[in-house]
Amino acid sequence: SLSNNDISLENKASEMNERYRKAQVEEIRRRAAAEPDNKELQEQLVQFSKEAAEQQVAVCRQRVENNPTDPQTRFELGQALFDCGNYTEAIPELQRARNNPHIRIRAMLLLGKCYDAKNMHDMALRQLEEANKELIEMNDTKKEILYMIGLLYEKLGKKEESLAAFQQIYDAEYGYRDVAKRGILLQQLRFRSIPRPRRGAILKAFAGDGKGFVAGWTAFLRMGCAGPEAAAAASFPVWPL
């Protein structure tokens, strides 16, 4: 069996190879982005990315074999399997990694992504809702968790829950991804679910004297919006009454 010193040297060598592979992929990705019509370059990017991901899985499997009780190596293997699209094998590795408090939230986020990729939306939500409760600070990880929660509720047809998740992100960072636009669209859908007579009354109330339904609709959408979001709200079509 390998000594601790041998394992350390092996890990350092694999880390150097990993950095080299990543640099290769990034260079090809940069060139492919500059030449989107270059079919050969695009195919090369796909092939290099696939090979790099497969090599990373092999490296991580070896690390787990060398140190099977280390949650960090389990997490790295789960990440590598996820990157390869092997969600089924990634799940048990991430479940083991989840038991370590230092990487628990990241493992739960990745577990949620695995379940989502397998169309197991309820299980994905359970993981992400739990992670969201445990993460107090509104950092980038919490925003990503809330964004995924919003998307999952949207897939399940739960508009109010989806809007609530996106609203939390919007309150902290209105420019995060497409949260502002998604919030406006959900407001549209929520408004459309209101009975027709009530819709007319709401629009008239917002419109004011002589401003008409379009102005009322714009005012309705602009609630809670500012700057670019208000302008974006005004550009959305008016739903027919």
Side-chain angles (χ1 to χ4, degrees):
S1 62
L2 294 174
S3 67
N4 288 337
N5 190 48
D6 290 333
I7 291 173
S8 177
L9 289 172
E10 189 177 87
N11 286 341
K12 286 180 180 178
S14 66
E15 285 170 8
M16 289 178 65
N17 287 331
E18 181 183 342
R19 284 197 292 269
Y20 176 70
R21 286 195 304 272
K22 284 183 177 179
Q24 277 187 310
V25 172
E26 284 305 312
E27 174 60 20
I28 296 172
R29 183 174 287 119
R30 183 188 63 78
R31 289 165 54 200
E35 300 181 52
D37 296 328
N38 187 329
K39 186 178 179 181
E40 183 180 349
L41 204 54
Q42 300 302 324
E43 290 174 352
Q44 190 179 3
L45 174 60
V46 171
Q47 184 63 28
F48 261 74
S49 298
K50 182 175 181 291
E51 290 174 0
E54 289 172 350
Q55 288 170 7
Q56 185 62 20
V57 168
V59 168
C60 290
R61 285 195 194 280
Q62 185 61 53
R63 288 177 184 168
V64 167
E65 187 177 325
N66 292 338
N67 194 359
T69 60
D70 180 19
Q72 180 64 39
T73 59
R74 293 284 182 180
F75 175 79
E76 289 169 1
L77 176 55
Q79 177 76 69
L81 288 164
F82 175 85
D83 292 340
C84 272
N86 193 341
Y87 311 117
T88 300
E89 285 193 43
I91 287 171
E93 303 300 336
L94 295 168
Q95 286 173 332
R96 292 186 181 97
R98 182 180 53 186
N99 296 324
N100 184 302
H102 299 294
I103 53 177
R104 176 175 170 79
I105 299 297
R106 286 188 294 148
M108 292 170 76
L109 172 57
L110 202 50
L111 265 173
K113 291 181 178 181
C114 286
Y115 288 131
D116 180 35
K118 290 169 65 68
N119 293 318
M120 302 166 72
H121 302 317
D122 288 334
M123 293 188 71
L125 268 173
R126 279 199 293 273
Q127 288 294 320
L128 295 168
E129 291 280 19
E130 186 177 350
N132 185 47
K133 288 177 184 175
E134 294 183 17
L135 193 57
I136 306 302
E137 181 187 358
M138 182 59 82
N139 56 21
D140 288 342
T141 302
K142 188 174 180 74
K143 289 171 194 170
E144 186 175 1
I145 289 170
L146 283 167
Y147 187 81
M148 275 207 68
I149 289 172
L151 293 180
L152 285 163
Y153 274 127
E154 197 173 87
K155 289 177 183 178
L156 293 170
K158 297 184 177 181
K159 303 180 190 70
E160 294 295 329
E161 290 87 345
S162 180
L163 182 59
F166 291 137
Q167 184 66 48
Q168 288 184 62
I169 304 172
Y170 181 89
D171 289 344
E173 184 184 345
Y174 71 80
Y176 186 83
R177 299 193 188 182
D178 60 350
V179 162
K181 183 177 179 180
R182 285 185 178 277
I184 291 167
L185 289 171
L186 285 166
Q187 288 279 22
Q188 286 184 324
L189 291 172
R190 183 163 67 175
F191 181 79
R192 199 175 188 182
S193 68
I194 299 171
R196 285 176 181 271
R198 179 63 179 150
R199 284 190 236 169
I202 290 172
L203 288 178
K204 286 177 183 177
F206 279 110
D209 293 336
K211 291 186 179 179
F213 284 152
V214 173
W217 174 240
T218 301
F220 176 77
L221 285 178
R222 281 180 173 175
M223 286 191 305
C225 295
E229 285 64 46
S235 70
F236 281 95
V238 179
W239 292 113
L241 295 174

Short mmCIF file of all heavy atoms in Angstrom, two decimals, residues 45-74:
data_model
loop_
_atom_site.label_atom_id
_atom_site.label_comp_id
_atom_site.label_asym_id
_atom_site.label_seq_id
_atom_site.Cartn_x
_atom_site.Cartn_y
_atom_site.Cartn_z
N LEU A 45 -13.64 21.93 -28.57
CA LEU A 45 -13.99 22.33 -27.21
C LEU A 45 -14.82 21.25 -26.52
O LEU A 45 -14.57 20.90 -25.36
CB LEU A 45 -14.75 23.66 -27.23
CG LEU A 45 -15.31 24.14 -25.89
CD1 LEU A 45 -14.19 24.34 -24.87
CD2 LEU A 45 -16.11 25.43 -26.07
N VAL A 46 -15.82 20.73 -27.22
CA VAL A 46 -16.68 19.68 -26.66
C VAL A 46 -15.85 18.45 -26.30
O VAL A 46 -15.98 17.88 -25.21
CB VAL A 46 -17.80 19.29 -27.66
CG1 VAL A 46 -18.55 18.05 -27.16
CG2 VAL A 46 -18.76 20.45 -27.85
N GLN A 47 -14.96 18.05 -27.21
CA GLN A 47 -14.14 16.85 -26.99
C GLN A 47 -13.17 17.05 -25.83
O GLN A 47 -13.03 16.17 -24.96
CB GLN A 47 -13.37 16.52 -28.27
CG GLN A 47 -12.56 15.22 -28.19
CD GLN A 47 -13.43 13.99 -27.97
OE1 GLN A 47 -14.59 13.97 -28.37
NE2 GLN A 47 -12.87 12.99 -27.31
N PHE A 48 -12.49 18.20 -25.80
CA PHE A 48 -11.54 18.48 -24.72
C PHE A 48 -12.24 18.54 -23.36
O PHE A 48 -11.73 18.02 -22.37
CB PHE A 48 -10.81 19.80 -24.99
CG PHE A 48 -9.45 19.62 -25.60
CD1 PHE A 48 -9.31 19.25 -26.94
CD2 PHE A 48 -8.30 19.81 -24.86
CE1 PHE A 48 -8.06 19.08 -27.52
CE2 PHE A 48 -7.04 19.65 -25.42
CZ PHE A 48 -6.91 19.28 -26.76
N SER A 49 -13.40 19.17 -23.33
CA SER A 49 -14.15 19.29 -22.08
C SER A 49 -14.58 17.92 -21.58
O SER A 49 -14.49 17.62 -20.37
CB SER A 49 -15.39 20.17 -22.29
OG SER A 49 -15.01 21.48 -22.68
N LYS A 50 -15.03 17.07 -22.50
CA LYS A 50 -15.46 15.71 -22.14
C LYS A 50 -14.28 14.91 -21.60
O LYS A 50 -14.40 14.24 -20.55
CB LYS A 50 -16.06 15.03 -23.37
CG LYS A 50 -16.60 13.62 -23.13
CD LYS A 50 -17.27 13.09 -24.38
CE LYS A 50 -17.84 11.70 -24.16
NZ LYS A 50 -16.79 10.68 -24.00
N GLU A 51 -13.16 14.96 -22.28
CA GLU A 51 -11.98 14.20 -21.85
C GLU A 51 -11.46 14.70 -20.50
O GLU A 51 -11.09 13.89 -19.64
CB GLU A 51 -10.87 14.30 -22.90
CG GLU A 51 -11.18 13.54 -24.18
CD GLU A 51 -10.13 13.75 -25.26
OE1 GLU A 51 -9.16 14.51 -25.00
OE2 GLU A 51 -10.27 13.18 -26.36
N ALA A 52 -11.45 16.01 -20.32
CA ALA A 52 -10.98 16.58 -19.05
C ALA A 52 -11.88 16.15 -17.90
O ALA A 52 -11.40 15.82 -16.81
CB ALA A 52 -10.93 18.10 -19.15
N ALA A 53 -13.20 16.15 -18.13
CA ALA A 53 -14.14 15.74 -17.09
C ALA A 53 -13.96 14.27 -16.73
O ALA A 53 -13.99 13.89 -15.55
CB ALA A 53 -15.58 16.01 -17.56
N GLU A 54 -13.77 13.42 -17.75
CA GLU A 54 -13.57 11.99 -17.50
C GLU A 54 -12.26 11.73 -16.75
O GLU A 54 -12.20 10.88 -15.85
CB GLU A 54 -13.58 11.23 -18.83
CG GLU A 54 -14.96 11.17 -19.47
CD GLU A 54 -14.94 10.60 -20.88
OE1 GLU A 54 -13.82 10.42 -21.42
OE2 GLU A 54 -16.02 10.33 -21.42
N GLN A 55 -11.21 12.47 -17.10
CA GLN A 55 -9.93 12.33 -16.41
C GLN A 55 -10.05 12.76 -14.95
O GLN A 55 -9.46 12.15 -14.06
CB GLN A 55 -8.86 13.13 -17.13
CG GLN A 55 -8.43 12.53 -18.46
CD GLN A 55 -7.53 13.46 -19.27
OE1 GLN A 55 -7.12 14.52 -18.80
NE2 GLN A 55 -7.23 13.08 -20.51
N GLN A 56 -10.85 13.81 -14.74
CA GLN A 56 -11.04 14.30 -13.38
C GLN A 56 -11.76 13.26 -12.52
O GLN A 56 -11.46 13.08 -11.34
CB GLN A 56 -11.82 15.61 -13.39
CG GLN A 56 -11.97 16.27 -12.03
CD GLN A 56 -10.64 16.66 -11.40
OE1 GLN A 56 -9.63 16.79 -12.10
NE2 GLN A 56 -10.63 16.85 -10.09
N VAL A 57 -12.74 12.56 -13.10
CA VAL A 57 -13.44 11.49 -12.39
C VAL A 57 -12.45 10.40 -11.97
O VAL A 57 -12.47 9.92 -10.83
CB VAL A 57 -14.58 10.89 -13.25
CG1 VAL A 57 -15.10 9.60 -12.62
CG2 VAL A 57 -15.71 11.88 -13.39
N ALA A 58 -11.57 10.00 -12.91
CA ALA A 58 -10.59 8.96 -12.61
C ALA A 58 -9.66 9.38 -11.47
O ALA A 58 -9.36 8.59 -10.57
CB ALA A 58 -9.78 8.63 -13.87
N VAL A 59 -9.22 10.64 -11.51
CA VAL A 59 -8.34 11.16 -10.46
C VAL A 59 -9.06 11.15 -9.11
O VAL A 59 -8.50 10.73 -8.09
CB VAL A 59 -7.87 12.59 -10.81
CG1 VAL A 59 -7.21 13.25 -9.60
CG2 VAL A 59 -6.90 12.56 -11.98
N CYS A 60 -10.30 11.61 -9.09
CA CYS A 60 -11.06 11.68 -7.84
C CYS A 60 -11.38 10.30 -7.29
O CYS A 60 -11.39 10.09 -6.07
CB CYS A 60 -12.35 12.47 -8.06
SG CYS A 60 -12.09 14.23 -8.33
N ARG A 61 -11.65 9.35 -8.18
CA ARG A 61 -11.88 7.97 -7.72
C ARG A 61 -10.64 7.43 -7.01
O ARG A 61 -10.74 6.76 -5.98
CB ARG A 61 -12.24 7.07 -8.90
CG ARG A 61 -13.64 7.26 -9.44
CD ARG A 61 -14.02 6.10 -10.35
NE ARG A 61 -15.20 6.37 -11.13
CZ ARG A 61 -16.45 6.26 -10.69
NH1 ARG A 61 -16.66 5.91 -9.42
NH2 ARG A 61 -17.48 6.50 -11.48
N GLN A 62 -9.48 7.73 -7.55
CA GLN A 62 -8.23 7.27 -6.94
C GLN A 62 -8.03 7.92 -5.57
O GLN A 62 -7.60 7.27 -4.62
CB GLN A 62 -7.04 7.60 -7.86
CG GLN A 62 -5.70 7.07 -7.36
CD GLN A 62 -5.70 5.55 -7.24
OE1 GLN A 62 -6.03 4.86 -8.20
NE2 GLN A 62 -5.35 5.03 -6.07
N ARG A 63 -8.36 9.19 -5.47
CA ARG A 63 -8.23 9.89 -4.19
C ARG A 63 -9.16 9.29 -3.15
O ARG A 63 -8.79 9.14 -1.97
CB ARG A 63 -8.53 11.38 -4.37
CG ARG A 63 -7.46 12.16 -5.10
CD ARG A 63 -7.87 13.60 -5.30
NE ARG A 63 -6.90 14.34 -6.09
CZ ARG A 63 -7.11 15.54 -6.61
NH1 ARG A 63 -8.29 16.13 -6.44
NH2 ARG A 63 -6.18 16.14 -7.32
N VAL A 64 -10.38 8.95 -3.56
CA VAL A 64 -11.33 8.33 -2.63
C VAL A 64 -10.82 6.96 -2.20
O VAL A 64 -10.94 6.57 -1.03
CB VAL A 64 -12.74 8.22 -3.27
CG1 VAL A 64 -13.65 7.31 -2.45
CG2 VAL A 64 -13.36 9.60 -3.40
N GLU A 65 -10.25 6.23 -3.14
CA GLU A 65 -9.69 4.91 -2.82
C GLU A 65 -8.55 5.03 -1.81
O GLU A 65 -8.42 4.20 -0.89
CB GLU A 65 -9.19 4.23 -4.10
CG GLU A 65 -8.76 2.79 -3.90
CD GLU A 65 -8.34 2.13 -5.19
OE1 GLU A 65 -8.94 2.44 -6.24
OE2 GLU A 65 -7.40 1.29 -5.16
N ASN A 66 -7.75 6.08 -1.97
CA ASN A 66 -6.63 6.29 -1.04
C ASN A 66 -7.10 6.78 0.33
O ASN A 66 -6.44 6.52 1.34
CB ASN A 66 -5.65 7.32 -1.62
CG ASN A 66 -4.91 6.79 -2.84
OD1 ASN A 66 -4.80 5.59 -3.05
ND2 ASN A 66 -4.42 7.71 -3.67
N ASN A 67 -8.20 7.50 0.36
CA ASN A 67 -8.69 8.08 1.62
C ASN A 67 -10.21 8.02 1.65
O ASN A 67 -10.89 9.04 1.50
CB ASN A 67 -8.19 9.53 1.72
CG ASN A 67 -8.35 10.09 3.12
OD1 ASN A 67 -8.84 9.41 4.03
ND2 ASN A 67 -7.96 11.34 3.30
N PRO A 68 -10.78 6.84 1.82
CA PRO A 68 -12.24 6.65 1.68
C PRO A 68 -13.10 7.35 2.74
O PRO A 68 -14.30 7.51 2.52
CB PRO A 68 -12.40 5.13 1.77
CG PRO A 68 -11.18 4.65 2.48
CD PRO A 68 -10.08 5.58 2.11
N THR A 69 -12.51 7.75 3.86
CA THR A 69 -13.30 8.38 4.92
C THR A 69 -13.30 9.90 4.84
O THR A 69 -13.94 10.56 5.67
CB THR A 69 -12.78 7.95 6.30
OG1 THR A 69 -11.41 8.35 6.44
CG2 THR A 69 -12.89 6.44 6.48
N ASP A 70 -12.59 10.48 3.87
CA ASP A 70 -12.48 11.94 3.77
C ASP A 70 -13.68 12.50 3.00
O ASP A 70 -13.83 12.25 1.80
CB ASP A 70 -11.18 12.31 3.05
CG ASP A 70 -11.01 13.81 2.92
OD1 ASP A 70 -11.68 14.56 3.66
OD2 ASP A 70 -10.21 14.25 2.07
N PRO A 71 -14.54 13.30 3.66
CA PRO A 71 -15.72 13.85 2.98
C PRO A 71 -15.36 14.78 1.82
O PRO A 71 -16.11 14.87 0.85
CB PRO A 71 -16.45 14.62 4.09
CG PRO A 71 -15.91 14.06 5.36
CD PRO A 71 -14.51 13.67 5.07
N GLN A 72 -14.23 15.49 1.94
CA GLN A 72 -13.83 16.43 0.88
C GLN A 72 -13.57 15.69 -0.43
O GLN A 72 -13.98 16.13 -1.51
CB GLN A 72 -12.59 17.21 1.30
CG GLN A 72 -12.10 18.21 0.26
CD GLN A 72 -13.09 19.33 -0.02
OE1 GLN A 72 -13.74 19.83 0.90
NE2 GLN A 72 -13.23 19.72 -1.28
N THR A 73 -12.87 14.54 -0.36
CA THR A 73 -12.61 13.77 -1.57
C THR A 73 -13.91 13.20 -2.13
O THR A 73 -14.06 13.08 -3.35
CB THR A 73 -11.60 12.63 -1.32
OG1 THR A 73 -12.11 11.76 -0.31
CG2 THR A 73 -10.26 13.18 -0.87
N ARG A 74 -14.84 12.85 -1.25
CA ARG A 74 -16.16 12.37 -1.69
C ARG A 74 -16.90 13.48 -2.44
O ARG A 74 -17.52 13.25 -3.48
CB ARG A 74 -16.99 11.92 -0.50
CG ARG A 74 -16.48 10.68 0.21
CD ARG A 74 -16.77 9.42 -0.57
NE ARG A 74 -16.32 8.23 0.12
CZ ARG A 74 -16.46 7.00 -0.36
NH1 ARG A 74 -17.02 6.80 -1.54
NH2 ARG A 74 -16.03 5.96 0.32
#
